[in-house]
């Protein structure tokens, strides 16, 4: 993680502003020989892209990606070559509008003030670099990471809380996520949540959310103690998503109220002689290394900062003012966080897989290679 | 963050196992000319060290640190030279005992199984590299980081939750932490918490906790979007601490239940013309960059995994067994997390300060240099 | 330095292949507030671009760069914002031709065989990623680095040897470089060199060269011992240029034949009381840190590997063959190395400047701040 | 490469000053399960250590290393665990002497002035951090790197030039190096070189040297284009050695005088069907990736800067003076560079091996896995 690049062996660099001509990413360190075309990436971008329902911003972007380097077709379709994969996405719906007020005043909850304080200059058009638009690049990179991980690792996320409404752990069903516009991880909550969110939207307000993610199929052994722990890497990757304010692994903050007896995931041997955990409070990570159980995490998203209610703020020339953020916005930015959480998880895991392979020589153990 | 090193410009590398001859750290990139002796570090180590009360492990370590490089006394006392600062700490209380059972069986909740799975070998003596003993090195590095930050930045942490007992936000008093053996951030809770923890301890059980931390005096402008965000760096640094399972910044997971109106920290101008925030839901970070408000975070710690109750587990040669973890342990490992959370926060901030200075030329703005 | 990224604080990532749709670079960590448009970059690209004389490849590329992120015009012209600067360059003259033979056979001296051996796949079109075409991105990044360094640091390179013809050290005149198509660092050698190179070119052969570079105005104090030494960073940056086979700093390999008396650069005080070196065998670097004298280096370039003479080689399906490399090629690839050597030197220095500022708080000392 | 750490996956951090209590290194990222004790390291340290002959400094150091972390003996002897390997070496012969003059005056050719200019403070005792004493740590790390590389890769270096005396390429015999105190790569030159160096030594002077190194057994495929090229990594690693002023790969600077016909290493198939190069002008690296031929490099060392002849210099308080560097010094510091060049080469190769394995899944191809 270093400014606009993350990852160690599977490294992603992103660039671009909300209202610039384009955005993009460069993926370096990808293994060679992996079939890859835009068709592997576009579905994930389509899933993230705005304008898909009334619950997300009405900005309409085609979000068509183009791979402009790093693949080569030697007769059997394009495959990765080991060279950096550059992906470009044009910005097509940057409305030309009067940014006068936003250019002067700092929108509360946004990064306007901090960018100005840090850099002495800021691209105020649509949030510039701090816009959630950048997350399209993360999703594109995540699509490539999924190809690196292969079929054996499945990563799924969904909304498990929106405002005061929460899906209990034992009712989470990631299979429901693709079938509702709220990305809710349970089909039954959708009508009530939709009504709730409609009210929020009509009021010009916004609301926070929690996204849960799980990665199934990660073998035991990924992650690099002590400062490259799998959970530490996940924490920074997920916290780096726009509007994220908290990350927890496994039982997370609930762990604080557990006793050692409740928390320790006991072990037994399965029918095939392989280790079996009897619970997963650890969220699939012990000592920073994967256990072979599903890796589970949750990310808290704050409500969208752009709301219609007048808020008190100041301007860059040092006067007080009140500001109402008009424009096309998300009533619950967490919804759009779902594909991004998946993508960041995929990138972290692909990186961990390559690092594991680098240090030890194996990424996925065959049964006979199982190390215990 | 990379295996056993963290930080970009202020970089800390740690080494050593629980029962090896010594542990240590190397701090690279420290600015030159900073007065530094063991006396700057020892108090922080003393505060962390085990054996101080009945609430923590009875392992007794002198934890005496020695600075063996990176400082030079040219007549006015030792100062940092810009060269790597190596700090050594001897292990003096590694009891020689029979590790027979632990060597074979994987302690549930510990990293035994995952280290074995990853590396095919593990130093089972006291947890080896995965032992909380390593955190002494973090505390030593944090002491140096505090010197880099100087007097203007104050970092304080304390326990705000232990099991079901929680200190409400408006009752947190970091000033109380130094005056009770529980590191509790409120004096009034101490008797009840002590009784509760005594019960846990006598039952051979353990309990989780939440540590809150705040850093006051961080100017607006530190942090490097997008993948070196101040909160992202904090998240990985804090999640890398032994037993940490969750990290939140500012309102954290509570943000999920807030509306945009509740969450946006409004701004006004103070009497001196400087920007003033009217609340701090953001935890002092917007868009990954510090706002000038206190940087606040919370870390969830799971209960100590070593408990006296028999737990089901397996052995490395593939048999099922039941294990009771005897020995000297902490009923609430979160207590000892307090100085470590402070130390990691200090290291992240020192690194952010140097990176800010590298990119922009300033670390602390003078009033006239204020960038807005 | 890490695969396709180099630099620590001023970081450059490049992507793109010789015959892909475009190439580009992302510059991360650039200080904010620096005026920057394509007009700052294009002249350097024009100077490097092929097709300019009969001495370089006849491939014709417009090499027009577009800055698509990282700058913002807030009314006084575009300035850097601190966000990543992405620069795109279209490939316009990738001739569609039959690559049949090159696709099968490994061109001796080229990276064909090694890319195939490493990755199991290679983009054979024009050398793919290993093509010198990539150096356009380095030159673009170098142009930005020059802006970061400012007017006080001047970097100039030129050819000082071509085949057996060498310009003695005391006759090097970097002022001559811009006035001859051979980039020769002495005007008088040009007629003889041109005739010599014409003979090489007409014979379908090629020849090696040495490029010298100097950076004037670098203050004492840049560079980070021990493994981030200024000369170590220069060595890897310059050795990473296509066809480079040697790098030396100051007296370089000649040092091996010098005595300590000859080699030690003695010091005196100048009229202004500032330190003055009486010679510069060190090439402006002692102990990996700049001395304040000109930083001088030399880079050896091997002859272009593409020649018309039949060479023995093998094919990827394991047969022996003879190959003649037709196409548009440089008789002396070292000529085109001149702007690239300058650019890499600029990038290394900009990075060293920011790192120095990060660790110590200053980049250029004012007289009163001089540290001795 | 970053200040006091180098390597990407096989990472070495060193610390310590010439006259501090000890020096040491931390090796992170080492694969697990490799048998390792001090006995694997000590012979290499003994070979480097001063005091061994009249040709090197008379400082006498036991240079006894202790491994204090990262290995574990589970019954079959200590093996690496994957945790950081810390190695300590005590300084035992730091003579207490009057450093008065050196403390004030900058020794020409040394890093005294530049450390003072950069840091505003310097440990003047024996050169502090800039002393060649630090290279003991590199040699210790190199010993571990050799274990990682295994028996198949053999790395040997030797002196091929000392002052005006040079061993022609076709007379280099690395087998001779161990049998003479000059580390000369040819037995016949020893008497003349010894007499020459005796004269230098008696005159209180010093002389430069060139060290050649070759690594045999490196398979095709190691190295990471474009900014992690194997030759680029070697260049920075070797240039970072004290007193190094030039690095060349393969034909190096001689390449400048070669034609394309002379330079291109033609290929044929060997009796076993494997690729065979008919020459090795490339030094075993094409496009930054190993070819399978021996990797060959040469490093130029300047003469020891400490000489008995009075040299003009200045003091830190800004006066002119003349200085004679007394003490225990090497007449040819290049001699002691031989084991260090080998060690750095081993570290670079071990790192490249792990990176290759991380990205592609293999480090050493079996015959059937050969990628072409």
């Amino acid at each position: 993680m270093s400014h606009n690049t993350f990852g160690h062996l599977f490294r992603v660099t992103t660039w671009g502003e909300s209202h610039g001509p384009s955005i993009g990413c460069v993926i370096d360190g990808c293994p060679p020989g992996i079939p890859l075309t835009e068709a592997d990436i576009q579905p994930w971008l389509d899933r993230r892209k705005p304008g898909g329902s009334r619950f997300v911003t009405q900005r309409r972007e085609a979000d068509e990606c183009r791979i402009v380097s790093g693949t080569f077709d030697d007769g059997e379709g394009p495959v990765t070559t080991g060279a950096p994969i550059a992906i470009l996405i044009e910005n097509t719906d940057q409305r030309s509008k009067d940014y006068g007020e936003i250019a002067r005043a700092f929108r509360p909850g946004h990064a306007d003030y901090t960018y100005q304080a840090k850099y002495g200059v800021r691209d105020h058009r649509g949030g510039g670099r701090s816009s959630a638009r950048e997350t399209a690049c993360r999703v594109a990179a995540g699509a490539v990471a999924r190809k690196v991980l292969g079929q054996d690792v499945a990563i799924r996320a969904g909304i498990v809380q929106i405002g005061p409404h929460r899906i209990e752990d034992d009712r989470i069903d990631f299979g429901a996520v693709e079938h509702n516009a709220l990305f809710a991880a349970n089909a039954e909550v959708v009508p009530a949540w939709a009504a709730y969110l409609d009210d929020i939207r009509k009021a010009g307000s916004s609301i926070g959310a929690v996204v849960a993610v799980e990665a199934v199929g990660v073998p035991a052994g990924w992650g690099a103690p002590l400062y490259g722990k799998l959970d530490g890497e996940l924490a920074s990757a997920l916290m780096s998503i726009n509007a994220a304010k908290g990350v927890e692994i496994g039982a997370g903050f609930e762990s604080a109220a557990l006793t050692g007896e409740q928390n320790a995931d006991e072990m037994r041997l399965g029918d095939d002689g392989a280790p079996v955990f009897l619970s997963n409070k650890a969220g699939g990570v012990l000592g920073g290394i994967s256990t072979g159980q599903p890796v589970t995490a949750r990310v808290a998203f704050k409500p969208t900062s752009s709301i219609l209610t007048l808020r008190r703020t100041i301007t860059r020339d040092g006067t007080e003012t009140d500001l109402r953020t008009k424009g096309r916005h998300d009533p619950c930015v967490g919804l759009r966080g779902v594909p991004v959480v998946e993508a960041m998880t995929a990138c972290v895991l692909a990186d961990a897989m390559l690092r594991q392979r680098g240090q030890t020589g194996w990424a996925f153990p065959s049964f006979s290679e199982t190390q215990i």
Side-chain angles (χ1 to χ4, degrees), chain A:
Chain A
M1 289 267 171
S2 160
H3 288 205
N4 294 283
T5 298
F6 69 97
H8 302 260
L9 293 189
F10 185 85
R11 279 179 306 281
V12 179
T13 300
T14 74
W15 55 267
E17 285 87 22
S18 174
H19 285 54
S22 51
I23 58 175
C25 67
V26 185
I27 301 161
D28 196 12
C30 186
I34 298 175
L36 184 73
T37 71
E38 283 86 352
D40 293 302
I41 300 170
Q42 198 62 50
W44 302 105
L45 284 171
D46 291 346
R47 185 168 172 247
R48 186 211 74 101
K49 83 178 173 194
S53 81
R54 69 183 185 278
F55 302 116
V56 295
T57 174
Q58 293 308 299
R59 176 172 176 162
R60 294 196 172 274
E61 287 289 352
D63 271 357
E64 273 180 34
C65 69
R66 273 197 309 145
I67 300 174
V68 292
S69 73
T71 62
F72 181 64
D73 184 350
D74 203 12
E76 300 174 24
V79 298
T80 58
T81 62
I85 300 164
I87 300 173
L88 302 186
I89 302 171
E90 303 294 316
N91 287 335
T92 56
D93 189 24
Q94 330 93 293
R95 288 195 194 165
S96 64
K97 71 171 185 184
D98 178 12
Y99 283 104
E101 192 171 25
I102 295 182
R104 281 181 57 247
F106 302 123
R107 295 170 299 165
H110 280 285
D112 297 349
Y113 170 68
T114 54
Y115 270 68
Q116 187 75 37
K118 181 177 188 72
Y119 298 119
V121 56
R122 83 192 147 96
D123 182 343
H124 52 71
R125 302 165 304 164
R129 180 70 182 148
S130 71
S131 164
R133 175 116 195 86
E134 185 265 350
T135 60
C137 297
R138 302 177 185 234
V139 170
V144 178
R146 286 179 198 264
K147 298 281 290 190
V148 172
L149 290 166
Q151 299 292 337
D152 292 338
V153 177
I155 299 163
R156 299 191 302 178
I159 300 284
V160 296
Q161 182 183 340
I162 185 163
H165 305 289
R166 181 174 172 155
I167 303 168
E168 293 308 307
D169 286 1
D170 57 1
R171 302 194 56 210
I172 291 175
D173 169 19
F174 288 112
V177 174
E178 296 313 292
H179 305 295
N180 70 84
L182 295 172
F183 295 94
N186 179 303
E188 295 171 26
V189 303
V190 174
W193 285 22
Y196 174 77
L197 204 54
D198 271 332
D199 289 346
I200 294 281
R201 182 173 57 83
K202 288 170 187 163
S205 184
S206 64
I207 192 69
V210 173
V211 174
V213 63
E214 76 167 17
V216 177
V218 175
W222 294 7
L226 291 175
Y227 302 112
K229 283 180 173 173
L230 189 58
D231 38 4
E233 300 275 322
L234 270 174
S236 64
L238 298 175
M239 192 70 95
S240 77
I241 300 173
N242 303 48
K245 297 304 287 185
V247 177
E248 55 185 8
I249 306 293
F253 276 88
E254 192 194 342
S255 308
L258 298 178
T259 63
E261 289 78 5
Q262 294 167 317
N263 186 66
D265 301 314
E266 295 180 285
M267 301 181 78
R268 276 294 175 251
L269 295 170
D271 293 338
D272 59 355
V276 173
F277 288 90
L278 306 182
S279 58
N280 190 14
K281 291 287 196 298
V285 186
L286 283 173
I289 303 172
S290 59
T291 64
Q293 285 200 288
V295 175
T296 65
R298 300 161 68 99
V299 189
F301 286 92
K302 67 180 185 184
T304 315
S305 296
S306 298
I307 49 178
L308 287 183
T309 311
L310 269 183
R311 296 280 90 187
R312 289 170 288 179
T313 192
I314 61 172
T315 64
R316 50 193 281 204
D317 43 6
T319 61
E320 299 186 337
T321 187
D322 291 350
L323 188 69
R324 171 181 292 118
T325 316
K326 288 160 288 191
R328 310 161 297 184
H329 298 294
D330 295 280
C332 177
V333 74
L335 301 197
R336 291 179 58 213
V338 170
V340 186
V341 166
E342 287 185 4
M344 294 306 282
T345 302
C347 289
V348 166
L349 290 173
D351 191 37
M353 180 188 114
L354 299 187
R355 292 162 84 188
Q356 164 67 0
R357 190 161 74 178
Q359 187 173 13
T360 69
W362 60 272
F364 288 95
S366 67
F367 189 79
S368 62
E369 289 170 340
T370 302
Q371 302 257 327
I372 65 158

